[in-house]
Amino acid sequence: MEHTVTVYRRSVLAAGALMLGGCAAIGSSIGPSANARAARTELSPTGRLRAAINFGNPILATRGSGGEPQGVSVDLAREAARRLDLPVELVQFNSAGSVVEAVKAGRVDMAFVAIDPVRGADMDYTAPYVIIEGAYLVRNASPLRRNEEVDRTGTRVVVGRGSAYDLFLTRELKAATLVRASTSPAVTDMFLAQDLDVAAGVRQQLEADARRVGGVRLLPGRFMVIEQAMGVPKGRTAAQVWLSAYIEEMKRSGFVAEALRRHAIEGAAVAPPRTS
């Protein structure tokens, strides 16, 4: 009798465990799918996912030989649309400032931008997926040798209007004067044409410019670290939550690292996993 009771108790416990496990599995499947449905609605008010692609940052996107967008941000946008079963529209821009204005105006549903507190007033971010460096470019004959020497009275620093570097240097420079080019790719040419003292921007862009124009050099190190994230218009909470989980999976799975490798991007690192 005692043996029978013991067997019965074990059977009940096992059945209970299976039932709880089944409930947990059902709960986990309902949660993500429900959240994905809500995110899908918030990310496609026009019936398609309008993703802002910024050619002002060559780390994120460039134009292929036929003019088509390519790069890590393009790959991430297309994969997100595929997972949400949405058609994707790649809305193209030449500067970060234009992207931010489009987000604020509701002309795009998702953007790839540098995290900045000023932009945070109109946009909600994921954690970063890529980290890149901001650098200074000077003429070979310039007396400037270190990043710390740039912020001096009389030094004129040119930067792309509305870029992460513009926002950062607007807060940080106390003595130097900022001069703004229309886009980040136009910075070096303006630096030379107007005989300015320093050009500021993405290290990779400035390195390419240095090879193109000659007679210039980058200051050692970096003046800032730029965290590139995905952003959505303020208040689209379900979209921000879904994209946050999505970007963590893309980092963890190697998708971001493989995209950087495939597009031959050097000097950019995959951001570490989110810790909270």
Side-chain angles (χ1 to χ4, degrees), residues 39-52 77 80-82 84-91 106-110 236:
R40 188 177 189 274
T41 299
E42 290 186 355
L43 285 168
S44 59
T46 63
R48 61 192 184 280
L49 176 59
R50 299 170 299 173
R82 186 191 69 79
L84 291 169
D85 193 25
L86 287 170
V88 63
E89 178 184 350
L90 302 178
V91 186
R107 297 196 303 272
V108 296
D109 308 304
M110 181 177 72
R236 296 191 187 181

Side-chain angles (χ1 to χ4, degrees), residues 10 15 20 43 50-51 84 120-121 123 134 137 139 169 177-178 181 184 187 195 240 243 252 265 271:
R10 287 175 178 169
L20 288 173
L43 285 168
R50 299 170 299 173
L84 291 169
M123 194 182 310
L137 179 79
R139 289 174 179 77
L169 293 174
T177 301
L178 275 182
S184 292
V187 162
D195 197 25
Q240 191 271 341
L243 286 173
R252 184 173 58 251
I265 300 300

Side-chain angles (χ1 to χ4, degrees), residues 57-59 114 130-136 147 164-165 168 200-207 218-228 265-269:
N57 186 338
I59 295 292
V130 162
I131 295 174
I132 60 180
E133 296 181 340
Y136 288 134
N147 292 320
Y165 324 102
F168 177 82
V202 180
R203 171 175 292 280
Q204 285 74 13
Q205 177 73 60
L206 296 180
E207 288 174 340
L218 272 71
L219 296 184
R222 63 198 184 195
F223 69 83
M224 71 177 294
V225 172
I226 304 130
E227 295 181 318
Q228 292 289 340
I265 300 300
E266 298 179 357

Side-chain angles (χ1 to χ4, degrees), residues 137-205:
L137 179 79
V138 299
R139 289 174 179 77
N140 286 342
S142 171
L144 298 174
R145 296 291 170 184
R146 299 185 302 122
N147 292 320
E148 295 78 13
E149 296 172 356
V150 169
D151 192 13
R152 293 178 177 175
T153 301
T155 300
R156 297 164 301 163
V157 182
V158 59
V159 66
R161 185 181 302 278
S163 66
Y165 324 102
D166 181 6
L167 298 175
F168 177 82
L169 293 174
T170 296
R171 293 191 298 270
E172 296 298 318
L173 294 183
K174 308 304 180 187
T177 301
L178 275 182
V179 181
R180 293 172 174 87
S182 58
T183 66
S184 292
V187 162
T188 297
D189 289 337
M190 184 172 174
F191 158 75
L192 294 172
Q194 298 190 15
D195 197 25
L196 301 173
D197 303 296
V198 179
V202 180
R203 171 175 292 280
Q204 285 74 13
Q205 177 73 60

Side-chain angles (χ1 to χ4, degrees), residues 236-248:
R236 296 191 187 181
T237 305
Q240 191 271 341
V241 169
W242 188 88
L243 286 173
S244 293
Y246 166 73
I247 209 64
E248 292 305 313

